[in-house]
Amino acid sequence: MSNLAVDLKQKTTSKTKINLEVSKAFKIWISALTIAFLIGGYFIVERFITGLAATNLSSITPWGAWIAFYIFFVGLSAGSFLLSTLIYVFGMEEYERVGKAALFTAIVCMIVALTFVLMDLGRPERLLNAIIFWNVTSPLAWEVHFYMVYIGLLTAELYIAMREDLVRAAKMNTLKGFVARLITFKNATINAATKKRDHMWMKILGTIGIPLAILGVHGGTGTIFAVVKARPAWNTALFPIIFVVSAMVSGTALLLAMYIIKKKVQKQPIDQGMVVSLSKMMVGFLIIDLGLQFYEYLIGWYGLEAEHLDSLATMMASEKAWSFWGVQMFLGAVVPITIVFWKKTSQNINALLAAAVLIVIGIIGVRFNIVVPPLVVPVFHELPWGNYAPTIKEWMVSVGVVAMGLLIYSFGELLLPIEETSDEVSHNGK
Amino acid sequence: MGLFSNEKKVDYDKIVDKMLPDARKELDESQYDTELGLNMARDARKVISGKLKIEDFHKVYSSSLTKEFGNYYASETPDTKKKSDGPKWAMVIDLKKCVGCDTCTVSCKAENRTPPGISYNVVMESLEGEFPNIKAVNLPRPCMQCDKPACAQVCPTRATYKMENGIVAIDNDRCIGCRYCIVACPYGARSFDFGDSYEQEMVGYNDVTSPEYGKERGNREKGKTPIGTVRKCSFCFHRLQRGEEPACVETCIGDARFFGDISDPNSVVSKLAASPRAFRLKEELGTHPNVIYLR
Ligand code: SF4
Ligand code: SF4
């Protein structure tokens, strides 16, 4: 009960804040993002005019940075969604404060991921062909369909999670109230029956979502790579599993980082217990991920297959190996694990924030190391080797797309009751 | 005009319908199943108009016909799939005869007018053994036109598909340029058309393109298909249509390449493919290439 009272108090404080104008920090943040988006937008337009000649891709290395970012964001999405299921399906109320944010992050990450796919197509205007002429043996075609269903499910779930807040907000004369009135029914109310109904639907949707996110969305994205028998470094059954686990790593890390940063900017109290336990979970996933990767590399290496060895060598012992040892292993694994387990830093919010951010960066490295090295090695030794590093244009397009995603997220938080904590979960747990 | 004639046709149909005896009534008088007769008549019309395959027709009705008329009346599915349905193209390359001159590569580029960075055929050269006991191996590599093509398997849009004559085709008007097929081809046979051109070095290069897969596309222009899509060797499908061999086969100076119908057991390629020297590249992947090498 006391727990509930605290919640209610927090709710009222946060609501009085919303009544005010948007904060200065928010304005600066939005203008910075808009500038980034406009600069990126210039390159996006240019990319559509010049086509893929704007990239450093070739027929030997046909996929590069944009595909890496695409799987990175799909991973973030699947990871944050799975985290939200911990709350809404398994009733882990201690993480409730990030629940709706997790769902909304999952949606925005999916939008960003699909935009990266669009950037990467040679013929973006034909994107719908993958839906119209669905080839059932193609994992990529399946994924496009899974993504659509998944986004729909996430949206439905987010709506239900927000419903009570929306109904409450609709009575207020703020921007949020206006939006809430637009998207709620006139006769929407909150009572015991609707509460029960909402809980039930959250549970049902969350439960459908778990296999969809694991097998369909992220395992499926791993499958896109794993089925390619032409590239031995991808063609293992462990691959989709590594995808899912690393999705959990990056999703948890992202939500943790976002939670801390937001609370810091808004100068609100940070729930230290939750931060510490989330970071333990994040590192737990990371260690499982490292274990799986270890076996993946060991078995590939032990097989002594020339192409597989070449792929491993390109990743770990070429001039681009810094992205494996430096980003993926040191920044993305060694440092954060140390931070979380070292006594001096394990309770320090700032250090844990750094760990989370490093893990997110490390997973970007992981994604690049998945996509690029096996595509640098040619399928026959006599064919020319690839030499790929993203061009400035590719980076700028990526900046633009990510800025777009952050803008969507920021405006979503401004207009929708994403942060308000309801007593939803405390009931669920009982 | 078309409208008028159409209407008249409908009228005739009606007249005919009136003149014909009522099928149900007639069939009711017979001792056999009325519904079966009506259904068969309806589906027979579908077979004639090409909406239903004759094999499917037989599959649907053979059991009920046997029931109705006994074994004696039911007829078997006619064997429409003849072995001599048309050729299934294959190529044999004799590595002992290949001198590594790259004539095939050049003639292919000239024939298919491929842009910079794209070569449907390459000759992969390597040295085997330790000096001084070395030998040069030249391995020409077109698209293998696999029987189980990895590229068609992964293509999300079915833009890449296997034709009945064994050639794996790309529908460049459907391809979305995702390049999954390039990634998935174990032979590196596919290239992405980034839109480059030889116009700088070669006046008029953009004026003509090759009619790949039998489709005339006119001049090469920025943003025009096949730019932004994937391309590969088509066994010179447009030449086959005129009864000519692929350009690489025709120009090979060592006469190392043979081309023909692998489904005909008496063709040169079939006989060579049966030789103990024959092998295929990366057989272990199960793609079953239609380019066969003689070692
Ligand atoms: S060689 Fe490659 S492109 Fe050609 S059919 Fe086989 S898998 Fe497809
Ligand atoms: S690039 Fe074109 S042909 Fe290749 S898989 Fe994608 S849609 Fe199919």
Side-chain angles (χ1 to χ4, degrees), chain A residues 140, chain B residues 151 154-160 170 174-182 190 192 229-230:
Chain A
L140 188 54
Chain B
C151 53
V154 300
C155 173
T157 63
R158 286 181 269 136
T160 290
I170 303 174
R174 185 187 282 190
C175 170
I176 57 176
C178 65
R179 313 188 292 295
Y180 196 5
C181 52
I182 307 185
R190 293 179 157 246
F192 183 76
T229 64
V230 169

Side-chain angles (χ1 to χ4, degrees), chain A residues 56-93:
Chain A
N56 251 349
L57 298 170
S58 62
S59 294
I60 300 156
T61 314
W63 286 350
W66 293 336
I67 292 290
F69 278 120
Y70 144 64
I71 57 176
F72 172 69
F73 280 102
V74 172
L76 283 184
S77 174
S80 22
F81 169 75
L82 290 175
L83 195 68
S84 84
T85 62
L86 290 184
I87 303 157
Y88 295 118
V89 179
F90 300 107
M92 289 194 180
E93 47 204 278

Side-chain angles (χ1 to χ4, degrees), chain B residues 133-183:
Chain B
N133 301 317
I134 48 174
K135 101 178 169 192
V137 179
N138 308 305
L139 196 112
R141 190 239 52 205
C143 165
M144 306 286 140
Q145 319 293 354
C146 309
D147 274 346
K148 300 256 161 21
C151 53
Q153 202 182 6
V154 300
C155 173
T157 63
R158 286 181 269 136
T160 290
Y161 60 96
K162 181 98 178 148
M163 294 197 283
E164 255 165 37
N165 60 10
I167 294 174
V168 173
I170 303 174
D171 181 349
N172 290 94
D173 294 306
R174 185 187 282 190
C175 170
I176 57 176
C178 65
R179 313 188 292 295
Y180 196 5
C181 52
I182 307 185
V183 169

Side-chain angles (χ1 to χ4, degrees), chain B residues 127-290:
Chain B
L127 291 179
E128 263 178 24
E130 294 266 314
F131 183 82
N133 301 317
I134 48 174
K135 101 178 169 192
V137 179
N138 308 305
L139 196 112
R141 190 239 52 205
C143 165
M144 306 286 140
Q145 319 293 354
C146 309
D147 274 346
K148 300 256 161 21
C151 53
Q153 202 182 6
V154 300
C155 173
T157 63
R158 286 181 269 136
T160 290
Y161 60 96
K162 181 98 178 148
M163 294 197 283
E164 255 165 37
N165 60 10
I167 294 174
V168 173
I170 303 174
D171 181 349
N172 290 94
D173 294 306
R174 185 187 282 190
C175 170
I176 57 176
C178 65
R179 313 188 292 295
Y180 196 5
C181 52
I182 307 185
V183 169
C185 169
Y187 305 97
R190 293 179 157 246
S191 310
F192 183 76
D193 193 333
F194 285 93
D196 300 336
S197 163
Y198 286 115
E199 191 68 26
Q200 299 289 324
E201 306 85 310
M202 185 179 154
V203 180
Y205 171 78
N206 282 347
D207 296 348
V208 191
T209 53
S210 151
E212 284 182 5
Y213 309 102
K215 185 151 167 107
E216 283 289 356
R217 293 185 189 277
N219 59 343
R220 185 170 164 84
E221 232 171 68
K222 209 175 165 205
K224 186 169 152 188
T225 306
I227 292 172
T229 64
V230 169
R231 302 175 61 175
K232 71 165 186 75
C233 156
S234 63
F235 269 180
C236 280
F237 182 66
H238 56 286
R239 286 174 61 96
L240 296 177
Q241 279 183 316
R242 333 186 266 257
E244 293 175 325
E245 291 184 310
C248 53
V249 180
E250 192 168 277
T251 56
C252 177
I253 63 157
D255 203 11
R257 296 201 187 213
F258 303 88
F259 192 80
D261 179 5
I262 193 93
S263 63
D264 171 4
N266 291 319
S267 67
V268 178
V269 281
S270 292
K271 285 181 182 154
L272 287 176
S275 129
R277 287 165 64 208
F279 75 105
R280 295 172 163 94
L281 289 180
K282 298 195 183 180
E283 263 167 301
E284 71 281 7
L285 293 184
T287 45
H288 206 91
N290 277 313

Side-chain angles (χ1 to χ4, degrees), chain A residues 188-427:
Chain A
T189 48
I190 313 173
N191 55 36
T194 63
K195 268 198 176 127
K196 212 160 165 215
R197 186 194 63 194
D198 288 353
H199 288 323
M200 188 190 72
W201 276 110
M202 284 307 282
K203 232 180 178 158
I204 293 178
L205 289 178
T207 316
I208 301 175
I210 293 172
L212 185 68
I214 293 182
L215 300 176
V217 173
H218 212 58
T221 307
T223 309
I224 292 181
F225 295 85
V227 295
V228 176
K229 60 188 167 197
R231 315 276 167 178
W234 290 344
N235 191 19
T236 70
L238 209 50
F239 217 71
I241 299 172
I242 294 185
F243 258 67
V244 174
V245 177
S246 53
M248 292 300 296
V249 178
S250 62
T252 321
L254 180 75
L255 286 174
L256 186 60
M258 278 181 12
Y259 172 77
I260 301 178
I261 293 174
K262 246 177 358 206
K263 291 289 157 185
K264 284 210 166 208
V265 173
Q266 295 169 345
K267 305 215 170 53
Q268 283 172 8
I270 295 174
D271 182 342
Q272 178 156 11
M274 186 186 79
V275 168
V276 171
S277 86
L278 262 185
S279 57
K280 288 256 156 64
M281 189 157 89
M282 162 180 89
V283 168
F285 286 133
L286 179 60
I287 290 171
I288 300 176
D289 194 29
L290 288 175
L292 292 176
Q293 277 174 24
F294 169 74
Y295 284 120
E296 177 83 7
Y297 300 145
L298 175 74
I299 286 161
W301 172 67
Y302 194 88
L304 297 179
E305 206 180 346
E307 236 177 87
H308 208 151
L309 290 183
D310 284 343
S311 300
L312 290 178
T314 314
M315 185 159 75
M316 300 177 186
S318 70
E319 79 243 39
K320 304 241 166 64
W322 57 266
S323 95
F324 179 78
W325 295 113
V327 181
Q328 175 172 345
M329 284 301 162
F330 185 69
L331 292 181
V334 176
V335 177
I337 291 177
T338 319
I339 290 178
V340 172
F341 285 124
W342 195 29
K343 272 209 192 77
K344 279 194 185 151
T345 47
S346 65
Q347 303 295 322
N348 182 333
I349 302 254
N350 286 334
L352 292 177
L353 172 64
V357 171
L358 282 178
I359 285 188
V360 174
I361 295 172
I363 297 284
I364 298 183
V366 172
R367 299 314 187 202
F368 269 83
N369 290 331
I370 284 175
V371 174
V372 179
L375 291 177
V376 165
V377 181
V379 286
F380 286 109
H381 225 273
E382 295 78 18
L383 293 176
W385 283 54
N387 182 15
Y388 174 79
T391 55
I392 299 288
K393 290 177 183 173
E394 284 178 82
W395 286 119
M396 294 315 289
V397 167
S398 310
V399 168
V401 176
V402 174
M404 178 199 79
L406 288 172
L407 274 177
I408 296 177
Y409 188 88
S410 309
F411 278 113
E413 270 212 338
L414 185 68
L415 300 177
L416 297 169
I418 286 178
E419 273 192 63
E420 279 86 342
T421 32
S422 69
D423 35 348
E424 158 102 352
V425 170
S426 3
H427 275 276

